[in-house]
Amino acid sequence: MNIDIVVVGVYFVFMIAVGVIFKRLAGSSTSDYFRGGGKMLWWMVVLQPS
């Protein structure tokens, strides 16, 4: 097996694992996502790049 294929496979598995972990930690709605869970100050929200 080519080492490049192994490296790409490990990368994809790692990215999927990170996604699953953050999904469990995230809030249940898109409102929580866009508002930072309501914990961000108004000036932090205004300064976010679009």
Side-chain angles (χ1 to χ4, degrees), residues 10-24:
V10 169
Y11 173 77
F12 281 128
V13 169
F14 177 73
M15 286 291 113
I16 291 171
V18 167
V20 168
I21 290 169
F22 278 103
K23 172 65 176 152
R24 289 184 181 163

Side-chain angles (χ1 to χ4, degrees), residues 25-40:
L25 295 176
S28 59
S29 70
T30 56
S31 177
D32 275 348
Y33 173 78
F34 286 110
R35 294 184 319 116
K39 297 176 184 161
M40 294 179 69

